[in-house]
Amino acid sequence: MARPVPVHGSTPIDPQALPLLAPRAIPRDQHTISRRDISPNALRVLYRLREAGFGAYLVGGAVRDLLLELHPKDFDVATDATPEQVRQLFRNCRLIGRRFRLAHVVYGREIIEVATFRANSDDGSGDRELEDGRLVRDNVYGSIEDDAVRRDFTCNALYYAIEDFSVRDYVGGFEDVQARTMRLIGDPETRYREDPVRMLRAVRLAAKLDFSIEPATAAPIPVLAPLLGEAAPARLFEEMLKMFLAGHAVPSFEGLERHGLLATLLPDTAAALRSNRSGALRRMLLQGLAQTDARVAADEPVSPAFLFALLLWPAYCRTLAGLQAQGMPVEEAQRRAVDRVTLHQVQTIALPKRFSLPMQEIWLLQSRFSSRQRKRVFRLLAHPRFRAAYDFLVLRLVASDAHAADVEFWTQAQASSGDALSASLEAASAAGTDEDAEPAARRRRRRRRLPAAAAE
Ligand code: ATP
Ligand code: MG
């Protein structure tokens, strides 16, 4: 769904920096968009607006995706009707947003977002005023040309007109889609300063669409990357999910690294990856992301908690190793590392507690896999986070095989019946291999195991 396009910071748009418009209509027989591929509800909205005498266009990501023969997630409509006029046309319509008024036309679970053409407000009223709780000036409505140039990338500024089924292009977006190129509209630096999240969108959409980022659009990113740290943490969290849980996590991560955004977004992980000379942590991370992509492709569920456990694992390992090097006892060091990494990360990305708590459990459970004591084994198997923690344990094999025996044990433990497991644990205990039967051996094992995990 289209997000209201915010103007951030206090930099007004410099009209000189905007491109010369080259309006163009690509007729129906010269593009691939067919009404068959458009949601029937979106078509209903377009036709109703048109019948009432308004301009009605499909716009943004949906047009871009249809030109690429992808299936759009949502269909956004742009029109010259005001939100009030839209409301009068649809019974199932509600107006949302104060700063940017939008109309939502609701069909069961599908919402068609209808936005009135807007011009970029040039008074610099930005998020700060919104955060201070004051209502910034209302929408500045504009022409379709105004609406096109306030959008971010040329590929996102195409309009499919229901009146003649042509694609309207004011900024060269049609060619850029054919050439699979991300190009910012206007002066890249100015546009990134207005809204630093556009840097992330450049990387995310390039990864999703398999586009390249045109050189002038890419060049300012590493320089301006620190500005991303000032973006709203809740917005960054949403972007992270779109980047990593939508089937293109690996190219997204590589893009963040390549364009120098990782150090702003995940500072502790970036530092840990730099200091991990063997590259083992990075390999594990990429393998985990590849598995996430495979799950998305197979329509299997993916969880933000597991994702963040993975993305922040290098940070956790490094912090834990640092605390232990200062002589802190293992269990206390683990708890402190968990808290420290989480608290530091949420300053940039607002990771909600319902995800950060299970993320922390996944980490803390890792040290419990070395136990073979019957009661503890059964308690861990019944733990609500067991499966995620076990999957994480298996993934850690990519970085280190120090716990290969644990993976083997827990793989079998899950497969065997409770009675069989119980019997084998008792047999092991009787044979003297159980850790509780040999406290000295257990202590030795633990001391070796934990720093090894931390140093992975
Ligand atoms: P996705 O496939 O992830 O939905 P999208 O391009 O549709 O990609 P949305 O966030 O749904 O992304 O935004 C819809 C449209 O709103 C974009 O295509 C673009 O035209 C405009 N837009 C979104 N974010 C911005 C931004 N930060 N600055 C300018 N225009 C934006
Ligand atoms: Mg969209």
Side-chain angles (χ1 to χ4, degrees), residues 411-433:
T411 306
Q412 278 170 17
Q414 285 173 84
S416 47
S417 73
D419 287 348
L421 178 60
S422 200
S424 84
L425 285 169
E426 255 148 46
S429 163
T433 53

Side-chain angles (χ1 to χ4, degrees), residues 269 284-285 303-317 341 351 355-356 358-363 366 388-389 392 395:
T269 284
M284 171 184 156
L285 216 162
S303 92
F306 193 90
L307 170 72
F308 277 89
L310 179 64
L311 289 174
L312 295 175
W313 176 249
Y316 171 70
C317 289
V341 170
L351 180 58
F355 301 129
S356 67
M359 166 190 85
Q360 297 178 336
E361 279 183 309
I362 290 173
W363 291 340
Q366 297 305 305
F392 202 84
L395 190 56

Side-chain angles (χ1 to χ4, degrees), residues 1-2 60-62 64-65 73-74 76 208 242:
M1 208 176 309
R64 176 200 71 208
D65 289 354
K73 286 193 307 297
D74 38 48
D76 299 332
K208 164 178 158 158
K242 282 187 165 195

